[in-house]
Amino acid sequence: MSSNFVDRRQAKVWLKRIVFLLIQLLFYAKKTISIPFTPVKKVRSILLVETAFLGDVIAITPLIEVLAKKMPNAIIDVIVEQKNIPILQFESKINTLYGMNTSLYSSFFNSIIKLRKQAYDLVICTSPGVKNSMIALLTGKSFITGYLVHPIRDTSFYNDFYAVMTGNNDKSFYPKTAHLTQRALTAVAPLGFNDMDFDNLRVRLRLSPKIDHQTKTALKKKNFIEPGKINLVIHPCASWVFKQWPLDSFVSLIKKLFEKYNGKIHIILIGLPSEKSDLDFIKKNVPYKIMLLCGANLTTVMGLIKCADIFLGNDSGPKHIADAFSKPVVELLGPSTPETVGGRNPKVHSCYANIRCSPCSHLECFNEGRCMKAITVESVLPYLYSLIDKQLLIMQRNVTY
């Protein structure tokens, strides 16, 4: 490892520590001047802040449901990364959905100025992170709750956190072993919401009937969806390379599926433009026809996954989309556990090797992705065989009757 790399890394660590210190000072300053929290029934405007990954945005959907029930007279606004806006665009309980590009300082601060003018009664930071905390603390004028102070300065993955609030001294514990959806719900626990049923609150997404029909028609026209076959959508990539199942394993698995179900299955690979080389590798090494949907807009990806019969993928945004649409899912997990990020709908099957170094902090991997490599093709195939056979039986019954 070069000395320049080490120096850059140490500089980044120290910069992060300075930022966390500033966040703590800002929080305690806000808390010092804050008046006691007003009764929940008097809250008329709420802003949810979630500018992290796609899966984190999907994880706030149960929270939106809870807030709409407990504060029926309050409007709910949400701010996310601009690219993630489509994921919540058809959520009827959201009054205004804002987008920002947090990587651009101009967008970041212009959005904060715009949001401060709304003078929200309550601002909620729904997950740990520098950007979320800064936006919540700089935007909130009245009361702010959520993950505003960070005792862990290196990473937000697999660590214990506390949700705190400016208007009272309550704090609520979010254990690192809890599920992703519980994290967002715990952000409002300092408000006195202690009766939330974490086990039965699940993520869900919506598409408008018009967009759903238009997307489905377009996908069928371009042969991304084939009626009469089992449509299997696969996302073989992930935001962190060590969360990704080996491409050779995907190739081997797809070959075996075609050997068993040739003529009965239709496979579509999806990915971002930056993931095209991985998709091309799989297609090049599979001697059967498979479709590639690369770089499509998020609405189209949602429509495709909603139309699919089965989804297969790593711990990534599309996997969370499939879970939110209650699709049959086979998920491949390594650095994270089924208990923390696994799908909650009853049609989800988790493939997890449970090796000693998992779960981890996602900072770096010293075992060359061993947790994903330990998942064998032979351990994944039975889940897919079972789901495909079940879908074929349903199709056969529909034809018969």
Side-chain angles (χ1 to χ4, degrees):
M1 188 179 295
S2 69
S3 59
N4 287 338
F5 177 82
V6 173
D7 290 342
R8 287 198 304 271
R9 186 172 176 183
Q10 288 183 339
K12 189 175 181 180
V13 168
W14 277 105
L15 178 61
K16 207 171 207 180
R17 288 177 178 175
I18 292 170
V19 172
F20 278 129
L21 177 60
L22 292 174
I23 288 174
Q24 286 183 315
L25 291 174
L26 183 57
F27 167 72
Y28 287 115
K30 289 260 186 180
K31 190 174 181 65
T32 300
I33 63 175
S34 177
I35 61 174
F37 179 62
T38 188
V40 165
K41 62 183 179 181
K42 292 186 178 181
V43 173
R44 292 292 179 266
S45 59
I46 303 169
L47 175 68
L48 302 185
V49 180
E50 185 48 85
T51 59
F53 296 105
L54 189 60
D56 299 295
V57 176
I58 296 172
I60 72 171
T61 56
L63 174 59
I64 294 171
E65 195 76 28
V66 167
L67 292 173
K69 287 181 180 179
K70 291 187 175 291
M71 302 180 181
N73 297 320
I75 63 167
I76 301 172
D77 292 350
V78 180
I79 184 161
V80 298
E81 281 281 355
Q82 186 70 39
K83 63 184 179 181
N84 291 334
I85 278 185
I87 207 73
L88 296 177
Q89 64 182 322
F90 301 112
E91 173 52 68
S92 60
K93 294 179 175 64
I94 296 177
N95 177 63
T96 304
L97 183 59
Y98 296 100
M100 69 157 35
N101 186 344
T102 56
S103 62
L104 296 177
Y105 290 117
S106 57
S107 174
F108 185 82
F109 289 107
N110 286 338
S111 295
I112 288 174
I113 292 170
K114 181 179 179 180
L115 292 170
R116 276 188 65 83
K117 291 178 181 178
Q118 303 299 319
Y120 291 101
D121 294 332
L122 178 64
V123 176
I124 304 170
C125 179
T126 59
S127 70
V130 172
K131 294 176 183 177
N132 279 355
S133 299
M134 290 292 288
I135 294 167
L137 289 168
L138 293 174
T139 299
K141 285 188 175 182
S142 296
F143 302 104
I144 313 166
T145 187
Y147 301 95
L148 305 172
V149 179
H150 303 276
I152 309 299
R153 296 175 179 177
D154 293 325
T155 175
S156 297
F157 291 104
Y158 203 67
N159 279 304
D160 296 330
F161 286 97
Y162 286 92
V164 294
M165 189 175 179
T166 59
N168 62 36
N169 293 319
D170 294 340
K171 63 179 181 178
S172 299
F173 181 55
Y174 168 67
K176 59 187 177 184
T177 54
H179 195 268
L180 193 63
T181 52
Q182 184 175 334
R183 183 181 65 191
L185 292 164
T186 302
V188 297
L191 303 178
F193 294 173
N194 299 315
D195 58 346
M196 292 180 287
D197 187 357
F198 293 131
D199 293 331
N200 292 317
L201 287 167
R202 293 177 183 158
V203 295
R204 77 280 180 282
L205 294 174
R206 295 184 177 92
L207 283 176
S208 72
K210 180 180 178 181
I211 295 297
D212 191 17
H213 175 73
Q214 289 177 347
T215 305
K216 187 181 297 185
T217 301
L219 289 168
K220 287 181 179 178
K221 187 176 181 180
K222 296 180 180 179
N223 297 320
F224 284 107
I225 293 293
E226 284 199 15
K229 292 185 179 181
I230 303 301
N231 292 281
L232 169 60
V233 173
I234 300 177
H235 182 227
C237 307
S239 59
W240 190 42
V241 66
F242 295 112
K243 293 170 71 175
Q244 184 171 307
W245 203 36
L247 296 179
D248 288 334
S249 296
F250 278 108
V251 169
S252 177
L253 179 138
I254 293 171
K255 285 180 180 179
K256 290 181 183 296
L257 289 177
F258 273 113
E259 288 168 5
K260 184 177 177 66
Y261 298 106
N262 194 16
K264 297 179 181 179
I265 61 171
H266 179 61
I267 292 180
I268 312 98
L269 302 180
I270 64 172
L272 299 169
S274 59
E275 299 167 342
K276 188 176 187 303
S277 61
D278 289 345
L279 305 186
D280 287 338
F281 174 86
I282 295 173
K283 185 172 183 179
K284 179 181 177 181
N285 288 280
V286 173
Y288 300 93
K289 180 187 175 182
I290 56 178
M291 299 292 290
L292 264 61
L293 184 66
C294 185
N297 64 64
L298 190 50
T299 303
T300 300
V301 172
M302 291 171 68
L304 175 63
I305 293 174
K306 191 171 185 288
C307 290
D309 297 296
I310 303 169
F311 180 90
L312 168 67
N314 307 302
D315 178 21
S316 64
K319 189 273 291 188
H320 292 287
I321 293 174
D323 178 38
F325 280 132
S326 295
K327 307 304 294 186
V329 174
V330 177
E331 57 184 12
L332 308 164
L333 305 178
S336 301
T337 67
E339 291 75 24
T340 56
V341 301
R344 303 293 293 276
N345 94 66
K347 292 178 278 187
V348 173
H349 299 274
S350 300
C351 298
Y352 175 64
N354 194 25
I355 70 169
R356 188 170 63 178
C357 60
S358 174
C360 69
S361 65
H362 295 198
L363 274 178
E364 53 190 326
C365 181
F366 299 100
N367 290 318
E368 299 180 344
R370 184 178 156 211
C371 60
M372 295 301 291
K373 293 175 181 177
I375 301 172
T376 64
V377 172
E378 290 70 28
S379 68
V380 179
L381 281 171
Y383 293 118
L384 288 170
Y385 287 164
S386 175
L387 290 173
I388 292 172
D389 288 341
K390 189 179 294 185
Q391 293 291 333
L392 287 172
L393 183 60
I394 292 171
M395 287 173 57
Q396 186 178 6
R397 286 175 177 171
N398 290 339
V399 171
T400 302
Y401 295 104

